[in-house]
């Protein structure tokens, strides 16, 4: 698809400077863009690239004062980065909307109900009594178990697997290879040392506007639901155990894990490779540093923690700094011991 | 499927109180259950819910003394939780048994041999000379490489991939997206700084009654076998490297990893996100705390360790506590230095 | 396939001792091998097995002096292990070359272009304008998005998913379940506490001779490319974030992660479960210990670091050793305090 500068200026409500008929079909960084590409200049540090760029159209800030001639057509807006991001989002929406139809071979149980404008790629498997809303896009290899519900405007990328009875809200995006609704890790120890499986008969509920990365795993509840509240953003390879609740707009970076029955509040942030033990409550706005291991509930909202076991951020950083200098501290203690021994020895001589 | 209170009482050998014809078709927590659901009350703390629940049937302890009238039909047993768990297990078994047949399109090599009562979903790919036992259930997208063997009563969830020549025992459950038999990570450094692949020609052997979570990875041996012994339970996203042996009834929590050629004994427990270096021996019953990093063999059975590098649990906890208070310890050393300097200065004045 | 001792001796340029017509069809460790298998003896520690082995052919070092009679046919070469590895590599190459053809059902967009000698398994999905080189092998469930390019001699194992517009070089092997090109984790915080997605319109470029393990994830760049340079080796379950660059021949062990926009030099080594924060530069040859967390750029080539946060290896090990003995250090401080108090008390008595 090609767009003219005039069309783009209309969409982002910008002022045209240059050839209104200039055409672009894709996007590029200003320093790498080729002819036929659209770029933007937001950071004044990169202004020099504007005069060299081969991009056909560049979105710039209204306030920019040109220091020399520019080959590209310019579109001026109050905030170039924001306008560019808006354009990208609209473009991706357009691309996604064009995906319509049911490729063959796919497997759709006769009892499944599907909305309008959906895309079902080849090798998608849809079980009995599945309900799918409007504008849903299912990429190759998606598997929806029996009774799964998927709301409107969802994108499930290649190979996403959702076990039976799980519920996905509206405007949810799940990246390739992610598993929703696998059994929680529940085994009862037996007298002979073996383990007996505790059946996991709950489900997973993913609310609206959630995005989940690639190859993540979210286990179904033992009973009831594992819940991902609306607006939460989960990165690649994260693990959410059974009966966990992740609060609204909580953000979990890659390779982090949350153990069973823990409840995260709203707007919590977990850094990469961090972990939280089971049966804890994490207050709203808590910030958990990368690789930290939280072993106690966090009761105070907006608390920052770090380390394993995790403690309040600032004091831990102080302790870690001294810890780094332990050889020196030990040296000081040794020196003191010598001096005190000397003093003690001398003392004997005091009459 | 619907069951009457009379049928359920028969199955779990309980005493009926109320309407023997009450029917249920699913399960719910006592505080959330709807009409037509079965629930249970085991913990006296939740007794109040018994008088409000909309569940049609509730399994309760024999010893329970009602404090007011109950709408639900009750079934009394010695241990309500255990009876409920038994019922769930039987129900899931029944559901699984009903999965029979071969959906189309699936790909089954002509040389593959398959037992009775198996289920092959659409988009399953079965290679040459594969042997599959009785009552095996293969969900959509399962891939079995050439010469793979799968025993009786196994469940391989959607998208499980088993590379050629691997062997799966009886009563094994593997959750969605897990990979068995990928190449071990073996590369020989070359003089020019590049790496030459060491061919990985062993396999993986998973013994009986093992359960493996979702999106886990178990590498094949360089030569010989990577072995998961019977009864072991492995959680989501765990990594087992080449030539590892995991002992009987060993339990490994999510996102943990075991490096090459390490041997875990029986009934070892690894907490979430823990790791073990290569070529180590871990004694029976060892307990490795979450996020710990084990760098030496553990020789004493039932040892608990924590930290990175991991040391014996109790002493590490003491060290960590002092580590937390290092700023205070440093203050004490500074105070001592001041006093000793003072003493040294005064000493000069001593005749 | 069967090979005679004479054929094998020819391939590895070895000297035959025994029956030149002895046949083998597979490989085994010398202590486990069965009749009809080929084995090797490189380490003199295992020489005793040579006299007991049931292997039909054994590759041994030229220099070996037999202490008793051997049943197997021997092939003598300067370096038995190296000859065996060469043979294995050739064997695997031969096996892979035999995989040719397009299994049905598969989905290949009409605009896709494919080279010679390729294998497309059933349930492979190839999008519009995909270009695939010669000798490429696509296992079941592989998904290639629109405009993906794959070079010559690549092996994509079962369930590998490559998003649109990504580029894979020559001689690349990717193991089962790995995802290339999922969206980077970019969300702009909004005033109401929610997050707005930052469109991710870059791609991933994987250069020549890269090997990537199972169930790994490599995100596409926000703009531009996430790059894996030639010769890099990445293990299972690793996470590479958007706009990362991994240098030539860099090796990343399982479950490690690299955050956004970080640039790794050449021949870097990351131990298992290690992590690197975003926007850092890691010098050539840096060695990052297992489970370490790197929070600052590493400027000096070949630096070894450990710990979270990670510091230079040797000094950190010293600090950790003292840290282990903190209870003792505290005891020494307490003893000093007692003595100093005593000295102070006595001082009063000094006239």
């Amino acid at each position: 698809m090609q767009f003219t500068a005039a069309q783009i200026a209309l969409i982002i409500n910008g002022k045209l400077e240059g050839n209104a008929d200039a055409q672009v079909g894709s996007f590029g960084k200003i320093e790498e863009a080729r002819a036929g590409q659209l770029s933007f200049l937001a950071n004044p540090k990169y202004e020099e690239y504007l005069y060299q760029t081969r991009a056909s159209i560049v979105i710039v800030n209204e306030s920019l004062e040109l220091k020399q001639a520019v080959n590209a057509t310019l579109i001026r807006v109050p905030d170039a980065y924001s306008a560019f991001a808006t354009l990208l989002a609209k473009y991706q929406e357009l691309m996604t909307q064009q995906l319509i139809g049911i490729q063959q071979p796919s497997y759709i149980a006769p009892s499944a109900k599907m909305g309008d404008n959906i895309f079902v790629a080849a090798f998608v498997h849809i079980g009995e009594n599945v309900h799918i809303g409007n504008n849903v896009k299912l990429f190759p290899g998606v598997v929806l178990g029996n009774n799964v519900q998927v709301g409107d405007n969802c994108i499930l990328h290649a190979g996403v697997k959702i076990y039976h009875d799980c519920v996905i809200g509206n405007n949810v995006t799940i990246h390739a290879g992610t598993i929703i609704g696998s059994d929680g890790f529940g085994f009862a120890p037996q007298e002979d040392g073996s383990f007996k499986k505790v059946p996991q008969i709950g489900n997973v509920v993913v609310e609206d506007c959630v995005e989940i990365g690639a190859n993540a795993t979210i286990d179904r509840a033992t009973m009831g639901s594992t819940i991902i509240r609306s607006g939460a953003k989960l990165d690649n390879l994260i693990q959410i155990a059974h009966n966990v609740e992740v609060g609204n707009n909580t953000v979990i970076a890659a390779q982090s894990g949350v153990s069973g029955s823990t409840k995260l509040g709203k707007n919590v942030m977990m850094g990469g490779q961090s972990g939280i033990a089971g049966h804890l409550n994490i207050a709203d706005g808590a910030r958990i540093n990368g690789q930290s291991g939280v072993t106690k509930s966090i009761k105070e909202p907006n608390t920052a923690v770090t380390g394993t076991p995790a403690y309040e951020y600032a004091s831990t950083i102080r302790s870690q700094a001294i810890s780094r200098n332990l050889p020196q501290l030990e040296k000081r203690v040794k020196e003191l011991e010598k001096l005190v021994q000397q003093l003690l020895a001398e003392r004997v001589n005091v009459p």
Side-chain angles (χ1 to χ4, degrees), chain A:
Chain A
M1 285 200 304
Q2 295 284 321
F3 300 86
T4 65
Q7 287 172 321
I8 292 168
L10 203 69
I11 293 168
I12 60 175
N13 198 20
K15 274 180 286 184
L16 250 178
E17 253 174 62
N19 178 11
D21 296 330
Q23 287 203 337
V24 290
S26 62
F27 304 91
K29 287 187 192 178
I30 192 160
E31 65 270 35
E32 297 173 351
R34 302 181 309 272
Q37 288 196 311
L38 173 78
S39 194
F40 74 102
L41 172 68
N43 189 336
K45 277 207 306 191
Y46 299 110
E47 188 178 327
E48 56 171 317
Y49 293 116
L50 180 62
Y51 308 111
Q52 306 158 8
T53 190
R54 286 187 286 169
S56 299
I57 307 176
V58 182
I59 301 174
V60 298
N61 289 332
E62 227 164 42
S63 57
L64 175 77
E65 292 179 25
L66 291 180
K67 296 198 182 64
Q68 53 180 104
V70 172
N71 283 323
T73 297
L74 301 185
I75 302 178
R76 290 180 178 270
V77 292
D79 178 345
Y81 175 70
S82 163
F84 184 73
T86 300
L87 206 62
L88 283 179
K90 275 189 203 291
Y91 177 78
Q92 291 208 320
E93 213 184 302
L94 202 65
M95 288 285 115
T96 305
Q97 279 169 8
Q98 291 184 335
L99 279 174
I100 287 182
I102 297 182
Q103 289 181 348
Q104 291 305 336
S106 50
Y107 181 97
I108 303 177
S111 56
K113 285 182 188 158
M114 292 189 285
D116 298 331
N117 299 317
I118 71 162
F119 171 65
V120 177
F123 315 127
V124 166
H125 192 288
I126 299 177
E128 299 289 347
N129 301 311
V130 168
H131 283 224
I132 296 176
N134 299 321
N135 307 311
V136 168
K137 313 298 173 183
L138 305 179
F139 282 77
V142 164
V143 176
L144 305 181
N146 296 338
N147 311 311
V148 163
Q149 294 176 42
V150 177
D152 295 338
N153 311 313
C154 290
I155 302 174
L156 306 192
H157 285 278
V160 166
K161 282 119 197 155
I162 304 187
Y163 280 57
H164 61 93
D165 296 302
C166 292
V167 178
I168 309 293
N170 302 311
N171 305 305
V172 171
T173 296
I174 305 179
H175 280 279
T178 282
I179 311 297
I180 310 275
S182 40
D183 278 0
F185 197 60
F187 298 93
Q190 306 297 296
E191 281 183 16
D192 64 353
S194 72
F195 291 88
K196 190 176 163 189
K197 183 170 178 75
V198 177
Q200 305 288 313
I201 61 153
N203 72 348
V204 176
V205 174
V206 175
E207 293 187 351
D208 298 347
C209 303
V210 167
E211 181 153 344
I212 304 174
N215 277 351
T217 58
I218 302 182
D219 280 349
R220 68 196 311 109
T222 308
M223 293 189 74
S225 299
T226 302
I227 303 176
I228 313 296
R229 295 261 176 237
S230 65
K233 309 295 178 191
L234 281 57
D235 202 354
N236 299 344
L237 293 168
I238 58 94
Q239 146 76 356
I240 304 293
H242 47 180
N243 294 86
V244 163
E245 182 177 331
V246 173
N248 295 116
N249 301 322
T250 276
V251 173
I252 304 182
Q255 297 179 313
S256 293
V258 182
S259 303
S261 300
T262 281
K263 193 175 163 180
L264 303 187
K266 300 176 187 179
N267 287 90
V268 172
M269 288 202 162
M270 292 181 69
Q273 300 183 329
S274 62
I276 306 184
H279 299 275
L280 304 183
N281 281 286
I282 306 299
D284 293 350
R287 285 162 172 268
I288 295 158
N289 206 18
Q291 290 194 336
S292 300
V294 178
T295 57
K296 290 178 189 169
S297 287
I298 298 179
K299 287 166 189 168
E300 197 63 42
N302 307 313
T303 307
V305 300
T306 193
T308 303
Y311 287 98
E312 189 273 326
Y313 188 82
S315 69
T316 306
I317 295 296
R318 274 196 299 277
S319 294
Q320 285 176 349
I322 301 177
S323 194
R324 281 288 307 152
N325 288 320
L326 271 179
Q328 211 195 326
L329 186 66
E330 202 209 14
K331 216 166 148 189
R332 287 161 66 187
V333 170
K334 202 175 268 175
E335 179 65 21
L336 279 170
E337 285 168 339
K338 212 178 68 187
L339 291 174
V340 167
Q341 283 310 318
Q342 203 178 314
L343 285 167
L344 286 171
E346 290 174 1
R347 184 189 56 167
V348 185
N349 301 329
V350 174

